Amino acid sequence: MRRLVVLGSTGSVGRAALDVVRRIRSAGTALEIVGLSAQRTVDVLIEQVREVRPVAVAVGTSEVASALRAAVPEWRGEVLIGPDGLAALPLVTGADMALVAVVGIAGLGPTLAALGAGADVALATKEVLVAGGGLVTDAAVRLGRRLVPVDSEHSAIFQCLAGHAARDVARLWLTASGGPFRHLSEDALAEVSPEQALRHPTWRMGKKVTVDAATLMNKGLEIIEAHWLFGVDEEKIEVVIHPQSLIHSCVEFVDGSILAQLGPHDMRLPIQYALTYPARLPGAAVPLDLRTIGALDFEPPDPVRFPCLAYARAALRQGGTAPAALNAANEVAVQSFLGGRIGFTEIPRLVRMILDHHRPRPAVSLEAVLEADGEARALAEAACNAAPRSAR
Ligand SMILES: NC(=O)c1ccc[n+]([C@@H]2O[C@H](COP(=O)([O-])OP(=O)(O)OC[C@H]3O[C@@H](n4cnc5c(N)ncnc54)[C@H](OP(=O)(O)O)[C@@H]3O)[C@@H](O)[C@H]2O)c1
């Protein structure tokens, strides 16, 4: 019986993962959920604890812990609190697999802790590899643990690479939907509201990643994620807009052949593959009917209207703590945009400003990465507070 903890179980990926586990368990898969986590969404967590009866849960605050205890008094599991509690969850529960689906840099410490506790990691949280890719991939190799991507693009590449030697890979092609503002002019982009940015054309996801998809920073983060997962240099990772989002990504080989992975817009498919890898089980999602999907379109991304892609590439080339600074600036900028403090086009401006200011150091430890994150975050917060919001 494999013992799974779901970090970020109340989120979009976390809830889809519980769905997957419910279904594959009822089909006889030996997998049990021993740990759950939420930051503050206590009502969803209460339902999940009633259903799953985990060994332990991790929550953001003591108020959430008290509300959970009061709502499920008959459940005697442990409740861990705060970032240290989240990091301790895999060890406390004796997990041998952790699905990391918390949002942002908050996932980095727990990912390293899960590997340290002897668990394999199914990784949804791309910011973990953006900020601490070297630390995480080194730890996985050193500790002999498996790191399997959940992000649909990286799952696609992972599947296309299976059985192929690294020397045979010419390029990785990350596909991007282009987001809701693919056709908007630069002037119009400055006026878009958070509500408009949260209307993704093809995927239903958490707010942070949905805004990242609208700025194309999501694809920038995914370039860095792909670099660490697959050991491919930045200049060999291409991005192409594919509005239908049915090809989840491709691998081009040295002979000119391109392998692509197709599937519906349903995260349950890559989540299930990561949880059951290398096995494939039936029923993850409703398969595509190729007779009905029509045209598949491709176009290059526009670097002028969507400069975040270039900033992510620059951070990866700078190396060290530069991607951590980029990520921190972006996390602050997205929250500030969602909170109405800055406009949409101020997101890339802020990221650029923080990246220009940052002096990268070697990202040799979790502390070094978190220090760079903290500095960039403080500077970005100060800039957001100072900036007059032109379109407020
Ligand atoms: N959604 C997708 O389809 C998708 C696809 C590919 C990759 N991803 C990646 O997967 C990650 C999760 O995305 P999502 O869309 O599932 O996000 P989400 O819906 O916003 O859920 C985030 C989860 O993390 C928890 N959380 C938030 N802040 C936290 C903190 N500071 N410390 C600990 N836990 C915290 C949330 O708890 P509360 O509910 O209590 O706030 C929730 O359980 C992101 O990195 C995203 O880029 C998502």
Side-chain angles (χ1 to χ4, degrees):
M1 181 70 80
R2 295 211 80 183
R3 295 165 67 81
L4 172 72
V5 288
V6 182
L7 308 186
S9 60
T10 52
S12 162
V13 171
R15 281 178 280 125
L18 261 62
D19 232 36
V20 167
V21 173
R22 199 176 291 126
R23 198 178 39 74
I24 62 177
R25 267 173 65 86
S26 68
T29 302
L31 179 69
E32 69 172 328
I33 297 178
V34 292
L36 299 169
S37 95
Q39 185 66 4
R40 64 188 77 80
T41 313
V42 71
D43 50 339
V44 177
L45 185 65
I46 288 167
E47 288 311 311
Q48 293 180 341
V49 168
R50 285 194 179 125
E51 177 191 344
V52 171
R53 307 265 148 189
V55 175
V57 303
V59 296
T61 62
S62 48
E63 289 73 35
V64 175
S66 306
L68 176 64
R69 284 280 185 225
V72 202
E74 68 286 5
W75 173 69
R76 302 260 174 257
E78 198 166 338
V79 181
L80 307 160
I81 299 172
D84 291 343
L86 186 63
L89 193 64
L91 190 64
V92 166
T93 54
D96 46 31
M97 184 183 251
L99 171 65
V100 180
V102 302
V103 63
I105 185 82
L108 177 57
T111 301
L112 291 169
L115 293 167
D120 291 333
V121 169
L123 186 63
T125 310
K126 58 197 84 191
E127 297 91 341
V128 164
L129 289 179
V130 172
L135 297 177
V136 171
T137 49
D138 284 356
V141 170
R142 182 166 34 83
L143 298 164
R145 304 321 315 172
R146 193 178 265 169
L147 183 64
V148 185
V150 169
D151 219 350
S152 57
E153 293 78 0
H154 302 76
S155 177
I157 291 170
F158 186 64
Q159 294 177 56
C160 294
L161 283 173
H164 295 278
R167 65 173 179 279
D168 293 341
V169 175
R171 285 188 289 185
L172 306 181
W173 286 91
L174 290 167
T175 54
S177 71
F181 307 137
R182 192 160 55 98
H183 297 299
L184 284 197
S185 68
E186 245 181 309
D187 287 348
L189 279 177
E191 302 301 324
V192 301
S193 67
E195 292 69 32
Q196 288 169 306
L198 290 173
R199 253 177 254 139
H200 193 277
T202 47
W203 292 95
R204 296 287 154 264
M205 310 181 286
K207 288 183 180 179
K208 198 275 181 171
V209 61
T210 305
V211 175
D212 285 346
T215 60
L216 287 203
M217 178 56 97
N218 188 42
K219 231 31 67 174
L221 302 180
E222 289 177 5
I223 291 172
I224 304 175
E225 185 184 11
H227 164 75
W228 288 111
L229 280 171
F230 307 117
V232 173
D233 291 342
E234 177 268 318
E235 62 274 14
K236 291 183 172 178
I237 306 173
E238 304 285 355
V239 170
V240 62
I241 304 294
H242 165 50
Q244 292 84 10
S245 302
L246 295 175
I247 293 181
H248 295 303
S249 278
C250 316
V251 176
E252 177 186 325
F253 293 93
V254 287
D255 59 1
S257 187
I258 296 180
L259 295 189
Q261 186 260 345
L262 285 79
H265 316 126
D266 190 337
M267 281 305 292
R268 287 175 299 182
L269 210 155
I271 291 169
Q272 176 174 301
Y273 189 65
L275 296 183
T276 64
Y277 173 80
R280 285 187 186 272
L281 301 185
V286 179
L288 293 178
D289 181 345
L290 293 177
R291 292 165 301 195
T292 62
I293 59 177
L296 296 175
D297 298 308
F298 303 93
E299 63 193 45
D302 178 350
V304 176
R305 287 178 305 132
F306 300 103
C308 284
L309 265 181
Y311 302 158
R313 286 190 185 280
L316 179 55
R317 282 196 302 271
Q318 285 178 39
T321 52
L326 169 106
N327 179 67
N330 184 57
E331 287 193 26
V332 171
V334 171
Q335 284 314 319
S336 301
F337 168 66
L338 288 171
R341 287 200 290 158
I342 64 171
F344 185 77
T345 46
E346 285 164 271
I347 298 174
R349 254 178 247 142
L350 188 71
V351 169
R352 166 84 194 260
M353 198 256 281
I354 301 300
L355 199 58
D356 284 349
H357 190 271
H358 185 71
R359 294 289 158 262
R361 282 111 46 192
V364 286
S365 62
L366 178 59
E367 293 67 32
V369 170
L370 293 182
E371 189 182 76
D373 171 88
E375 284 172 15
R377 204 168 279 273
L379 206 60
E381 286 286 2
C384 285
N385 289 334
R389 163 76 170 91
S390 41
R392 191 150 24 203

